[in-house]
């Protein structure tokens, strides 16, 4: 998975039926030093509900689980977790608590 | 998913049976600042019907749903939605309404 | 899918049983301006039969359909179509007819 | 698979149910000369239990086996082994024994 | 698939059960001009048995067939063939016979 920061939202009214009811977040990737890099994903956030500025974990796994249905959704990136902390050895690279204080 | 702009069409008369009846759109990717980048996909657009100049959402999910049939289609990129708006924080990066006015 | 030009052939006599009977074409990728780029694939061409110099459509879909058998083939790139034309707006980027005239 | 060095940990309390109980390691990739490169993964380490500084093998396979359950986990990178030695021809690029002596 | 040269071996004694009994070869990728490039894979070689210096075909297909068992193996790169010749138009880029003479 990759670490990313939620930076925006994508809205679409005309889409495949299998894409209905999915919140689409624009997330920008963060490198191993905690800096934003020029790479993004429009990631489905069907259950986590991450807000703008939060650091999240993005999975680009090929097969997205479809909680309610029988059809597989054509989703190639998902928000799978909101990150609390990223620790490198003894150093804290990111702490959600610090960010929001 | 990635944001892309429809820039053209690819036509093929000689292809695998599983590729029959699929409209192939040439889409160029857009970065997180809304600029075209030198990366493209020939994406299947079997249901959305996006036109040239429209911004779309491209899924590069490995398994493409095959609406009518039993065979899996060897498709690795699909147009899954036409984008209405892309919002970064409080700023609107793209709005379809503005583009077509 | 990506647009590529067939530039050669790869032959192997010692391979996995699941790879038997598959023609392997060396294809070099073409960018959105119609120029060859330094990226290639050795793509299975089990049904299309594209020849050297032809422009083809390459799918890097994870699961390749296996026409005859029960085993999934460990193929990660396939020739899925021979391209007739690539059109960008009103401009024809490539036309097979012109190439062979 | 890619060779990587465990450099840290990612902690998340709010995540998809399918992500519960998985240790998330931050691993930085190593090139074919044994040097760290600016590329990382947050990899699930559900069974191997690799510690910081250890060299591991990372699989970015699309479908992660789920030991206990019926749901597929949305994991796109896993620690599949702790590396003992990497040998290039007659030269030992890395040996765990040497590192820990 | 990509063309690669076997350059070494990776040994691991502590690994996932699904990784047992698989020979792990370090292979470095070769470009379309026959030159080594700074990209590698640790590829499973469960059946082909390619030796150091041999040119092989690497599949990065997501789902690896598991000859003996019921579990899917978390393998994302496999040696699927030993290459005899690579031909570009009328020119032979590589011939195994010439290499070993």
């Amino acid at each position: 998975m990759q670490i990313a920061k939620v930076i925006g939202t994508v809205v679409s009214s005309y889409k495949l039926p299998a894409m209905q009811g999915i919140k689409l977040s624009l997330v920008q990737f963060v490198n191993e030093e905690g800096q934003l890099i020029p790479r993004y994903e429009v990631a489905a956030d069907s259950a986590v509900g991450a807000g703008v500025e939060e650091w999240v974990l993005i999975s680009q796994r090929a097969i997205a689980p479809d909680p309610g249905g029988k059809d597989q959704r054509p989703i190639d990136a998902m928000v799978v977790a909101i990150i609390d902390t990223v620790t490198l050895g003894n150093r804290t690279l990111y702490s959600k608590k610090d960010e929001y204080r």
Side-chain angles (χ1 to χ4, degrees), chain A:
Chain A
M1 283 75 68
Q2 295 289 304
I3 301 170
K5 188 180 183 175
V6 180
I7 60 167
T9 310
V10 173
V11 173
S12 162
S13 49
Y14 197 73
K15 53 194 159 187
L16 295 186
M19 297 293 289
Q20 302 291 348
I22 300 171
K23 177 186 166 194
L24 296 173
S25 294
L26 187 60
V27 304
Q28 189 170 353
F29 285 37
V30 168
N31 69 10
E32 69 280 358
E33 290 165 5
Q35 294 159 334
L36 289 171
I37 57 171
R39 223 183 111 206
Y40 75 93
E41 278 283 352
V42 178
D45 184 355
S46 55
V48 171
V52 170
E53 299 290 319
E54 284 193 296
W55 279 30
V56 293
L57 209 54
I58 300 297
S59 176
Q60 295 167 299
R61 192 172 168 268
I63 299 175
D66 182 1
K70 33 211 164 189
D71 284 342
Q72 284 183 324
R73 293 183 161 173
I75 288 170
D76 61 7
M78 263 194 304
V79 179
V80 297
I82 296 175
I83 293 174
D84 295 335
T85 55
V86 179
T87 310
L88 294 181
N90 300 320
R91 183 162 66 94
T92 301
L93 184 70
Y94 169 82
S95 168
K96 189 181 163 174
K97 216 165 46 187
D98 297 346
E99 289 291 311
Y100 283 86
R101 220 175 256 169

